[in-house]
Amino acid sequence: MSTSALTHRVRVLAPLGDRHDEILTPGALDFVGRLAAAFGERRQDLMRERRRQALRLASGSPLDFPMVTSAVRADPTWRVAPPAPGLTDRRVEITGPPDRRMTVNALNSGARVWMADFEDATAPTWNNVIGGKLSLLDAIERRIDFTTADGKEYRLAGSDRLATIVVRPRGWHLDEEHLEFGGGPVPATLVDFGLYFFHCAQRQIDAGHGPYFYLPKLENRYEARLWNDVFVTAQDLLGIPRGTIRATVLIETITAAFEMEEILYELRAHSSGLNAGRWDYLFSLIKTFGHRTDFLLPDRVKVTMTAPFMRAYTELLVRTCHRRGAHAIGGMAAQVPGKDPAAHEAALAKVRLDKEREAEDGFDGSWVAHPALVPVCREVFDEVLGERAHQIDRTRDDVEVTAADLLSVRRIGGPPTAEGVRTNIAVALRYFAAWLRGQGAVALYGLMEDAATAEIARVQIWQWLRHRVIDRETVLRLLDEELAALGAEYPWAPLDEVRALFERNALAGELPLFFTPDAYAAHLVRRAEPRS
């Protein structure tokens, strides 16, 4: 892209930090501006459609597989693109924020894929966003080695042993307030996608891989179609062949679960599969149907992937992917290794059991949050796959899933326990405090938690209050107690701001769709205010 052709410059509204100019180049900002100009209005239309769909479902409209796309589902002939270089074998994938330490540890972990997460595992401070892009650029250039102040060294292993990088940008619902185009903020997902693609797409192709992405929070086929058009435009602008991009979609909303085939179809030239999550999926279920008593969920730890409606969701995902030649990737093992040997072994046994279920069900790989979990996940999938790269040929024609199966929540419904209420409050508060400080991946009670955990925790409190299975006085008492405990544990925590964030997002009469836009605004205000 020549400098003379720059016509869509994005304004940078934040101070430039160390090496930021390497990412925020005139060409890169123009590229992001072109994407914003081409797709910003359409993105807004789709966000309005999300709200309309939510109102329709809340008013009683049934959720079912779309009749208008029945021909797509019935056509047995279409397939997604074949696996791309570096994405053929995905038996173990590790996830985490793209800070420098995590980048080195993830690439060296022995996992086949690293999902560099700008979404749930990254608090989108300006330095985190641009620093993450620098981490990826340096990793691809093999210059990310560094030594900490206490002398600990981080060095990349041989290139043949490094995980394939897959980037998860922020969702369509978020803005990047530090970049302005056309008088408003740039969609955050176009910032994350665009800056990485501009700087790293050709570099990844030259290295034998390609520009690969995980797409979060999609709710329907139209949002997948928008992404596909973004991919086509981006490849054309940089002279990269169409179909070079590959994208795996996280099926983490209840509406997307009813359009899995359609989502694959819209992205078929760029698709590399689907992923089955847990917390975000349950979070979406409560957002969509939480006002109904037949969707009242018990403590989140009791809603495992073996619950009937979750089994229906995962089995449908495997069947859908394999029918279309796509990878099916399982959910997260979030355990963090502890110092107690007995607890550590118990955690590994739990991970093994979960991964055995996924591998036996037909998944081609799964996620872990910590390098110490890579070996157990790999061993489980090695036992099932052997020398094969995947088990896409296992089409699971035995699976038949109805709309009622996906919505059969009442079979596991029930009231919460006192411990479950307290845990949700404690986790949400601790995560909010860390997020406001700029940390998106937080070790809490033996698990590596991200924004999805805070979301399910706070919407469960909201749902239980709405249906009066807990009372507001109890929640406020526990809120006071857990805030006091948080202050004792983390003296730096801004307790008043954390409390206000919790009250706005868990105790309000109308449930906010996401806590992150509110927390982002609160963070911007904190940064702008002078501190004593």
Side-chain angles (χ1 to χ4, degrees), residues 427-460:
V427 167
L429 293 178
R430 282 159 175 75
Y431 187 83
F432 289 165
W435 203 96
L436 290 172
R437 202 186 193 203
Q439 186 179 358
V442 187
L444 296 171
Y445 307 113
L447 299 173
M448 185 60 68
E449 307 288 21
D450 63 13
T453 307
E455 292 286 27
I456 181 64
R458 61 104 183 173
V459 299
Q460 281 210 297

PDB file of all heavy atoms in Angstrom, residues 427-460:
ATOM      1  N   VAL A 427     -15.593 -14.078  43.164  1.00  0.00           N
ATOM      2  CA  VAL A 427     -14.867 -14.163  41.897  1.00  0.00           C
ATOM      3  C   VAL A 427     -15.091 -12.911  41.060  1.00  0.00           C
ATOM      4  O   VAL A 427     -14.150 -12.351  40.486  1.00  0.00           O
ATOM      5  CB  VAL A 427     -15.290 -15.433  41.133  1.00  0.00           C
ATOM      6  CG1 VAL A 427     -14.809 -15.377  39.685  1.00  0.00           C
ATOM      7  CG2 VAL A 427     -14.729 -16.675  41.813  1.00  0.00           C
ATOM      8  N   ALA A 428     -16.332 -12.468  40.971  1.00  0.00           N
ATOM      9  CA  ALA A 428     -16.620 -11.266  40.172  1.00  0.00           C
ATOM     10  C   ALA A 428     -15.855 -10.061  40.716  1.00  0.00           C
ATOM     11  O   ALA A 428     -15.242  -9.302  39.956  1.00  0.00           O
ATOM     12  CB  ALA A 428     -18.117 -10.990  40.152  1.00  0.00           C
ATOM     13  N   LEU A 429     -15.870  -9.870  42.025  1.00  0.00           N
ATOM     14  CA  LEU A 429     -15.178  -8.709  42.607  1.00  0.00           C
ATOM     15  C   LEU A 429     -13.679  -8.771  42.353  1.00  0.00           C
ATOM     16  O   LEU A 429     -13.050  -7.761  41.990  1.00  0.00           O
ATOM     17  CB  LEU A 429     -15.441  -8.649  44.112  1.00  0.00           C
ATOM     18  CG  LEU A 429     -16.876  -8.355  44.547  1.00  0.00           C
ATOM     19  CD1 LEU A 429     -16.979  -8.377  46.066  1.00  0.00           C
ATOM     20  CD2 LEU A 429     -17.376  -7.017  44.005  1.00  0.00           C
ATOM     21  N   ARG A 430     -13.086  -9.932  42.554  1.00  0.00           N
ATOM     22  CA  ARG A 430     -11.642 -10.059  42.352  1.00  0.00           C
ATOM     23  C   ARG A 430     -11.259  -9.870  40.891  1.00  0.00           C
ATOM     24  O   ARG A 430     -10.236  -9.265  40.581  1.00  0.00           O
ATOM     25  CB  ARG A 430     -11.158 -11.407  42.892  1.00  0.00           C
ATOM     26  CG  ARG A 430     -11.024 -11.422  44.402  1.00  0.00           C
ATOM     27  CD  ARG A 430     -11.051 -12.818  45.003  1.00  0.00           C
ATOM     28  NE  ARG A 430     -10.793 -12.752  46.448  1.00  0.00           N
ATOM     29  CZ  ARG A 430     -11.691 -12.338  47.344  1.00  0.00           C
ATOM     30  NH1 ARG A 430     -12.892 -11.938  46.948  1.00  0.00           N
ATOM     31  NH2 ARG A 430     -11.389 -12.309  48.631  1.00  0.00           N
ATOM     32  N   TYR A 431     -12.097 -10.385  40.026  1.00  0.00           N
ATOM     33  CA  TYR A 431     -11.788 -10.202  38.606  1.00  0.00           C
ATOM     34  C   TYR A 431     -11.946  -8.732  38.200  1.00  0.00           C
ATOM     35  O   TYR A 431     -11.116  -8.188  37.468  1.00  0.00           O
ATOM     36  CB  TYR A 431     -12.651 -11.094  37.720  1.00  0.00           C
ATOM     37  CG  TYR A 431     -12.193 -11.023  36.286  1.00  0.00           C
ATOM     38  CD1 TYR A 431     -11.127 -11.806  35.853  1.00  0.00           C
ATOM     39  CD2 TYR A 431     -12.751 -10.120  35.390  1.00  0.00           C
ATOM     40  CE1 TYR A 431     -10.651 -11.704  34.559  1.00  0.00           C
ATOM     41  CE2 TYR A 431     -12.282 -10.005  34.100  1.00  0.00           C
ATOM     42  CZ  TYR A 431     -11.234 -10.804  33.681  1.00  0.00           C
ATOM     43  OH  TYR A 431     -10.749 -10.688  32.412  1.00  0.00           O
ATOM     44  N   PHE A 432     -13.013  -8.083  38.659  1.00  0.00           N
ATOM     45  CA  PHE A 432     -13.209  -6.672  38.328  1.00  0.00           C
ATOM     46  C   PHE A 432     -12.018  -5.834  38.794  1.00  0.00           C
ATOM     47  O   PHE A 432     -11.545  -4.936  38.078  1.00  0.00           O
ATOM     48  CB  PHE A 432     -14.485  -6.139  38.976  1.00  0.00           C
ATOM     49  CG  PHE A 432     -15.758  -6.657  38.375  1.00  0.00           C
ATOM     50  CD1 PHE A 432     -16.965  -6.502  39.038  1.00  0.00           C
ATOM     51  CD2 PHE A 432     -15.773  -7.308  37.153  1.00  0.00           C
ATOM     52  CE1 PHE A 432     -18.159  -6.972  38.497  1.00  0.00           C
ATOM     53  CE2 PHE A 432     -16.952  -7.793  36.592  1.00  0.00           C
ATOM     54  CZ  PHE A 432     -18.144  -7.614  37.278  1.00  0.00           C
ATOM     55  N   ALA A 433     -11.528  -6.107  39.998  1.00  0.00           N
ATOM     56  CA  ALA A 433     -10.392  -5.354  40.526  1.00  0.00           C
ATOM     57  C   ALA A 433      -9.169  -5.537  39.644  1.00  0.00           C
ATOM     58  O   ALA A 433      -8.462  -4.564  39.322  1.00  0.00           O
ATOM     59  CB  ALA A 433     -10.095  -5.785  41.964  1.00  0.00           C
ATOM     60  N   ALA A 434      -8.906  -6.766  39.258  1.00  0.00           N
ATOM     61  CA  ALA A 434      -7.745  -7.032  38.404  1.00  0.00           C
ATOM     62  C   ALA A 434      -7.924  -6.400  37.032  1.00  0.00           C
ATOM     63  O   ALA A 434      -6.980  -5.832  36.466  1.00  0.00           O
ATOM     64  CB  ALA A 434      -7.532  -8.539  38.278  1.00  0.00           C
ATOM     65  N   TRP A 435      -9.126  -6.477  36.485  1.00  0.00           N
ATOM     66  CA  TRP A 435      -9.409  -5.929  35.155  1.00  0.00           C
ATOM     67  C   TRP A 435      -9.178  -4.424  35.135  1.00  0.00           C
ATOM     68  O   TRP A 435      -8.574  -3.882  34.207  1.00  0.00           O
ATOM     69  CB  TRP A 435     -10.847  -6.270  34.770  1.00  0.00           C
ATOM     70  CG  TRP A 435     -11.130  -6.274  33.299  1.00  0.00           C
ATOM     71  CD1 TRP A 435     -11.133  -7.351  32.465  1.00  0.00           C
ATOM     72  CD2 TRP A 435     -11.495  -5.153  32.482  1.00  0.00           C
ATOM     73  NE1 TRP A 435     -11.466  -6.976  31.193  1.00  0.00           N
ATOM     74  CE2 TRP A 435     -11.696  -5.622  31.165  1.00  0.00           C
ATOM     75  CE3 TRP A 435     -11.670  -3.796  32.739  1.00  0.00           C
ATOM     76  CZ2 TRP A 435     -12.061  -4.802  30.121  1.00  0.00           C
ATOM     77  CZ3 TRP A 435     -12.032  -2.951  31.693  1.00  0.00           C
ATOM     78  CH2 TRP A 435     -12.230  -3.469  30.401  1.00  0.00           C
ATOM     79  N   LEU A 436      -9.667  -3.731  36.178  1.00  0.00           N
ATOM     80  CA  LEU A 436      -9.479  -2.283  36.244  1.00  0.00           C
ATOM     81  C   LEU A 436      -8.008  -1.916  36.377  1.00  0.00           C
ATOM     82  O   LEU A 436      -7.598  -0.811  36.025  1.00  0.00           O
ATOM     83  CB  LEU A 436     -10.270  -1.703  37.419  1.00  0.00           C
ATOM     84  CG  LEU A 436     -11.792  -1.707  37.259  1.00  0.00           C
ATOM     85  CD1 LEU A 436     -12.463  -1.284  38.564  1.00  0.00           C
ATOM     86  CD2 LEU A 436     -12.230  -0.788  36.119  1.00  0.00           C
ATOM     87  N   ARG A 437      -7.210  -2.860  36.861  1.00  0.00           N
ATOM     88  CA  ARG A 437      -5.775  -2.630  36.983  1.00  0.00           C
ATOM     89  C   ARG A 437      -5.027  -2.986  35.701  1.00  0.00           C
ATOM     90  O   ARG A 437      -3.819  -2.773  35.596  1.00  0.00           O
ATOM     91  CB  ARG A 437      -5.235  -3.455  38.147  1.00  0.00           C
ATOM     92  CG  ARG A 437      -3.920  -2.946  38.717  1.00  0.00           C
ATOM     93  CD  ARG A 437      -3.400  -3.906  39.768  1.00  0.00           C
ATOM     94  NE  ARG A 437      -2.312  -3.304  40.532  1.00  0.00           N
ATOM     95  CZ  ARG A 437      -1.399  -3.993  41.177  1.00  0.00           C
ATOM     96  NH1 ARG A 437      -1.417  -5.311  41.152  1.00  0.00           N
ATOM     97  NH2 ARG A 437      -0.453  -3.379  41.866  1.00  0.00           N
ATOM     98  N   GLY A 438      -5.745  -3.571  34.731  1.00  0.00           N
ATOM     99  CA  GLY A 438      -5.122  -3.894  33.461  1.00  0.00           C
ATOM    100  C   GLY A 438      -4.781  -5.350  33.270  1.00  0.00           C
ATOM    101  O   GLY A 438      -4.041  -5.700  32.348  1.00  0.00           O
ATOM    102  N   GLN A 439      -5.350  -6.227  34.109  1.00  0.00           N
ATOM    103  CA  GLN A 439      -5.045  -7.657  34.024  1.00  0.00           C
ATOM    104  C   GLN A 439      -6.306  -8.413  33.611  1.00  0.00           C
ATOM    105  O   GLN A 439      -7.324  -8.362  34.296  1.00  0.00           O
ATOM    106  CB  GLN A 439      -4.533  -8.173  35.371  1.00  0.00           C
ATOM    107  CG  GLN A 439      -4.054  -9.610  35.344  1.00  0.00           C
ATOM    108  CD  GLN A 439      -3.524 -10.056  36.701  1.00  0.00           C
ATOM    109  OE1 GLN A 439      -3.490  -9.272  37.662  1.00  0.00           O
ATOM    110  NE2 GLN A 439      -3.112 -11.307  36.793  1.00  0.00           N
ATOM    111  N   GLY A 440      -6.244  -9.152  32.496  1.00  0.00           N
ATOM    112  CA  GLY A 440      -7.423  -9.848  31.992  1.00  0.00           C
ATOM    113  C   GLY A 440      -7.462 -11.328  32.271  1.00  0.00           C
ATOM    114  O   GLY A 440      -8.517 -11.947  32.167  1.00  0.00           O
ATOM    115  N   ALA A 441      -6.330 -11.930  32.589  1.00  0.00           N
ATOM    116  CA  ALA A 441      -6.273 -13.344  32.965  1.00  0.00           C
ATOM    117  C   ALA A 441      -5.794 -13.408  34.410  1.00  0.00           C
ATOM    118  O   ALA A 441      -4.700 -12.934  34.729  1.00  0.00           O
ATOM    119  CB  ALA A 441      -5.328 -14.112  32.053  1.00  0.00           C
ATOM    120  N   VAL A 442      -6.614 -13.988  35.292  1.00  0.00           N
ATOM    121  CA  VAL A 442      -6.372 -13.899  36.726  1.00  0.00           C
ATOM    122  C   VAL A 442      -6.501 -15.288  37.351  1.00  0.00           C
ATOM    123  O   VAL A 442      -7.501 -15.976  37.129  1.00  0.00           O
ATOM    124  CB  VAL A 442      -7.383 -12.952  37.404  1.00  0.00           C
ATOM    125  CG1 VAL A 442      -7.021 -12.733  38.865  1.00  0.00           C
ATOM    126  CG2 VAL A 442      -7.473 -11.629  36.655  1.00  0.00           C
ATOM    127  N   ALA A 443      -5.510 -15.706  38.126  1.00  0.00           N
ATOM    128  CA  ALA A 443      -5.569 -16.979  38.853  1.00  0.00           C
ATOM    129  C   ALA A 443      -6.404 -16.771  40.122  1.00  0.00           C
ATOM    130  O   ALA A 443      -6.028 -15.999  41.003  1.00  0.00           O
ATOM    131  CB  ALA A 443      -4.170 -17.459  39.198  1.00  0.00           C
ATOM    132  N   LEU A 444      -7.552 -17.455  40.194  1.00  0.00           N
ATOM    133  CA  LEU A 444      -8.452 -17.340  41.332  1.00  0.00           C
ATOM    134  C   LEU A 444      -8.884 -18.735  41.781  1.00  0.00           C
ATOM    135  O   LEU A 444      -9.448 -19.495  40.986  1.00  0.00           O
ATOM    136  CB  LEU A 444      -9.689 -16.512  40.972  1.00  0.00           C
ATOM    137  CG  LEU A 444      -9.468 -15.038  40.604  1.00  0.00           C
ATOM    138  CD1 LEU A 444     -10.759 -14.433  40.075  1.00  0.00           C
ATOM    139  CD2 LEU A 444      -8.959 -14.261  41.808  1.00  0.00           C
ATOM    140  N   TYR A 445      -8.599 -19.059  43.028  1.00  0.00           N
ATOM    141  CA  TYR A 445      -9.053 -20.311  43.618  1.00  0.00           C
ATOM    142  C   TYR A 445      -8.656 -21.521  42.772  1.00  0.00           C
ATOM    143  O   TYR A 445      -9.446 -22.447  42.544  1.00  0.00           O
ATOM    144  CB  TYR A 445     -10.571 -20.288  43.827  1.00  0.00           C
ATOM    145  CG  TYR A 445     -11.040 -19.081  44.598  1.00  0.00           C
ATOM    146  CD1 TYR A 445     -11.825 -18.105  43.999  1.00  0.00           C
ATOM    147  CD2 TYR A 445     -10.669 -18.896  45.932  1.00  0.00           C
ATOM    148  CE1 TYR A 445     -12.251 -16.974  44.701  1.00  0.00           C
ATOM    149  CE2 TYR A 445     -11.095 -17.772  46.642  1.00  0.00           C
ATOM    150  CZ  TYR A 445     -11.871 -16.827  46.023  1.00  0.00           C
ATOM    151  OH  TYR A 445     -12.286 -15.709  46.726  1.00  0.00           O
ATOM    152  N   GLY A 446      -7.433 -21.500  42.273  1.00  0.00           N
ATOM    153  CA  GLY A 446      -6.905 -22.645  41.549  1.00  0.00           C
ATOM    154  C   GLY A 446      -7.252 -22.711  40.089  1.00  0.00           C
ATOM    155  O   GLY A 446      -6.923 -23.693  39.417  1.00  0.00           O
ATOM    156  N   LEU A 447      -7.913 -21.682  39.562  1.00  0.00           N
ATOM    157  CA  LEU A 447      -8.302 -21.662  38.159  1.00  0.00           C
ATOM    158  C   LEU A 447      -7.817 -20.370  37.512  1.00  0.00           C
ATOM    159  O   LEU A 447      -7.788 -19.313  38.160  1.00  0.00           O
ATOM    160  CB  LEU A 447      -9.821 -21.766  38.006  1.00  0.00           C
ATOM    161  CG  LEU A 447     -10.482 -23.030  38.543  1.00  0.00           C
ATOM    162  CD1 LEU A 447     -11.997 -22.893  38.464  1.00  0.00           C
ATOM    163  CD2 LEU A 447     -10.019 -24.268  37.783  1.00  0.00           C
ATOM    164  N   MET A 448      -7.451 -20.443  36.240  1.00  0.00           N
ATOM    165  CA  MET A 448      -7.107 -19.249  35.475  1.00  0.00           C
ATOM    166  C   MET A 448      -8.397 -18.706  34.866  1.00  0.00           C
ATOM    167  O   MET A 448      -8.985 -19.320  33.976  1.00  0.00           O
ATOM    168  CB  MET A 448      -6.094 -19.579  34.380  1.00  0.00           C
ATOM    169  CG  MET A 448      -5.600 -18.356  33.635  1.00  0.00           C
ATOM    170  SD  MET A 448      -4.786 -17.133  34.686  1.00  0.00           S
ATOM    171  CE  MET A 448      -3.282 -18.029  35.144  1.00  0.00           C
ATOM    172  N   GLU A 449      -8.837 -17.580  35.385  1.00  0.00           N
ATOM    173  CA  GLU A 449     -10.132 -17.026  34.994  1.00  0.00           C
ATOM    174  C   GLU A 449      -9.954 -15.848  34.041  1.00  0.00           C
ATOM    175  O   GLU A 449      -8.964 -15.115  34.099  1.00  0.00           O
ATOM    176  CB  GLU A 449     -10.908 -16.565  36.230  1.00  0.00           C
ATOM    177  CG  GLU A 449     -11.047 -17.619  37.317  1.00  0.00           C
ATOM    178  CD  GLU A 449     -12.001 -18.745  36.970  1.00  0.00           C
ATOM    179  OE1 GLU A 449     -12.266 -18.966  35.765  1.00  0.00           O
ATOM    180  OE2 GLU A 449     -12.489 -19.413  37.892  1.00  0.00           O
ATOM    181  N   ASP A 450     -10.949 -15.673  33.171  1.00  0.00           N
ATOM    182  CA  ASP A 450     -10.963 -14.518  32.278  1.00  0.00           C
ATOM    183  C   ASP A 450     -12.329 -13.868  32.344  1.00  0.00           C
ATOM    184  O   ASP A 450     -13.124 -14.160  33.248  1.00  0.00           O
ATOM    185  CB  ASP A 450     -10.554 -14.912  30.859  1.00  0.00           C
ATOM    186  CG  ASP A 450     -11.521 -15.910  30.213  1.00  0.00           C
ATOM    187  OD1 ASP A 450     -12.636 -16.118  30.756  1.00  0.00           O
ATOM    188  OD2 ASP A 450     -11.172 -16.473  29.161  1.00  0.00           O
ATOM    189  N   ALA A 451     -12.623 -12.989  31.396  1.00  0.00           N
ATOM    190  CA  ALA A 451     -13.860 -12.213  31.470  1.00  0.00           C
ATOM    191  C   ALA A 451     -15.105 -13.090  31.439  1.00  0.00           C
ATOM    192  O   ALA A 451     -16.134 -12.728  32.012  1.00  0.00           O
ATOM    193  CB  ALA A 451     -13.910 -11.197  30.330  1.00  0.00           C
ATOM    194  N   ALA A 452     -15.023 -14.243  30.783  1.00  0.00           N
ATOM    195  CA  ALA A 452     -16.193 -15.121  30.711  1.00  0.00           C
ATOM    196  C   ALA A 452     -16.628 -15.573  32.094  1.00  0.00           C
ATOM    197  O   ALA A 452     -17.831 -15.726  32.366  1.00  0.00           O
ATOM    198  CB  ALA A 452     -15.885 -16.325  29.825  1.00  0.00           C
ATOM    199  N   THR A 453     -15.672 -15.820  32.995  1.00  0.00           N
ATOM    200  CA  THR A 453     -16.013 -16.241  34.352  1.00  0.00           C
ATOM    201  C   THR A 453     -16.735 -15.131  35.095  1.00  0.00           C
ATOM    202  O   THR A 453     -17.724 -15.372  35.800  1.00  0.00           O
ATOM    203  CB  THR A 453     -14.742 -16.632  35.119  1.00  0.00           C
ATOM    204  OG1 THR A 453     -14.017 -17.595  34.360  1.00  0.00           O
ATOM    205  CG2 THR A 453     -15.095 -17.216  36.473  1.00  0.00           C
ATOM    206  N   ALA A 454     -16.235 -13.912  34.969  1.00  0.00           N
ATOM    207  CA  ALA A 454     -16.897 -12.787  35.627  1.00  0.00           C
ATOM    208  C   ALA A 454     -18.300 -12.585  35.070  1.00  0.00           C
ATOM    209  O   ALA A 454     -19.230 -12.236  35.819  1.00  0.00           O
ATOM    210  CB  ALA A 454     -16.066 -11.521  35.462  1.00  0.00           C
ATOM    211  N   GLU A 455     -18.464 -12.801  33.768  1.00  0.00           N
ATOM    212  CA  GLU A 455     -19.785 -12.635  33.157  1.00  0.00           C
ATOM    213  C   GLU A 455     -20.793 -13.649  33.713  1.00  0.00           C
ATOM    214  O   GLU A 455     -21.904 -13.281  34.107  1.00  0.00           O
ATOM    215  CB  GLU A 455     -19.693 -12.774  31.637  1.00  0.00           C
ATOM    216  CG  GLU A 455     -18.942 -11.652  30.921  1.00  0.00           C
ATOM    217  CD  GLU A 455     -19.705 -10.345  30.843  1.00  0.00           C
ATOM    218  OE1 GLU A 455     -20.554 -10.083  31.713  1.00  0.00           O
ATOM    219  OE2 GLU A 455     -19.434  -9.570  29.907  1.00  0.00           O
ATOM    220  N   ILE A 456     -20.423 -14.926  33.747  1.00  0.00           N
ATOM    221  CA  ILE A 456     -21.368 -15.922  34.252  1.00  0.00           C
ATOM    222  C   ILE A 456     -21.623 -15.706  35.737  1.00  0.00           C
ATOM    223  O   ILE A 456     -22.744 -15.878  36.224  1.00  0.00           O
ATOM    224  CB  ILE A 456     -20.881 -17.369  33.961  1.00  0.00           C
ATOM    225  CG1 ILE A 456     -21.891 -18.408  34.459  1.00  0.00           C
ATOM    226  CG2 ILE A 456     -19.520 -17.641  34.560  1.00  0.00           C
ATOM    227  CD1 ILE A 456     -23.230 -18.368  33.786  1.00  0.00           C
ATOM    228  N   ALA A 457     -20.595 -15.285  36.475  1.00  0.00           N
ATOM    229  CA  ALA A 457     -20.763 -15.065  37.915  1.00  0.00           C
ATOM    230  C   ALA A 457     -21.763 -13.943  38.182  1.00  0.00           C
ATOM    231  O   ALA A 457     -22.670 -14.074  39.017  1.00  0.00           O
ATOM    232  CB  ALA A 457     -19.414 -14.747  38.563  1.00  0.00           C
ATOM    233  N   ARG A 458     -21.623 -12.831  37.471  1.00  0.00           N
ATOM    234  CA  ARG A 458     -22.496 -11.688  37.776  1.00  0.00           C
ATOM    235  C   ARG A 458     -23.912 -11.897  37.237  1.00  0.00           C
ATOM    236  O   ARG A 458     -24.890 -11.486  37.864  1.00  0.00           O
ATOM    237  CB  ARG A 458     -21.872 -10.388  37.273  1.00  0.00           C
ATOM    238  CG  ARG A 458     -21.615 -10.253  35.780  1.00  0.00           C
ATOM    239  CD  ARG A 458     -22.614  -9.365  35.093  1.00  0.00           C
ATOM    240  NE  ARG A 458     -22.407  -9.304  33.657  1.00  0.00           N
ATOM    241  CZ  ARG A 458     -23.251  -8.700  32.830  1.00  0.00           C
ATOM    242  NH1 ARG A 458     -24.324  -8.074  33.270  1.00  0.00           N
ATOM    243  NH2 ARG A 458     -23.019  -8.716  31.515  1.00  0.00           N
ATOM    244  N   VAL A 459     -24.075 -12.588  36.089  1.00  0.00           N
ATOM    245  CA  VAL A 459     -25.446 -12.781  35.588  1.00  0.00           C
ATOM    246  C   VAL A 459     -26.185 -13.834  36.406  1.00  0.00           C
ATOM    247  O   VAL A 459     -27.417 -13.796  36.480  1.00  0.00           O
ATOM    248  CB  VAL A 459     -25.486 -13.132  34.081  1.00  0.00           C
ATOM    249  CG1 VAL A 459     -24.888 -12.020  33.255  1.00  0.00           C
ATOM    250  CG2 VAL A 459     -24.840 -14.468  33.781  1.00  0.00           C
ATOM    251  N   GLN A 460     -25.462 -14.763  37.018  1.00  0.00           N
ATOM    252  CA  GLN A 460     -26.156 -15.701  37.909  1.00  0.00           C
ATOM    253  C   GLN A 460     -26.713 -14.976  39.127  1.00  0.00           C
ATOM    254  O   GLN A 460     -27.841 -15.260  39.551  1.00  0.00           O
ATOM    255  CB  GLN A 460     -25.210 -16.815  38.338  1.00  0.00           C
ATOM    256  CG  GLN A 460     -25.014 -17.892  37.279  1.00  0.00           C
ATOM    257  CD  GLN A 460     -24.734 -19.259  37.880  1.00  0.00           C
ATOM    258  OE1 GLN A 460     -23.731 -19.460  38.544  1.00  0.00           O
ATOM    259  NE2 GLN A 460     -25.642 -20.191  37.652  1.00  0.00           N
TER     260      GLN A 460
END
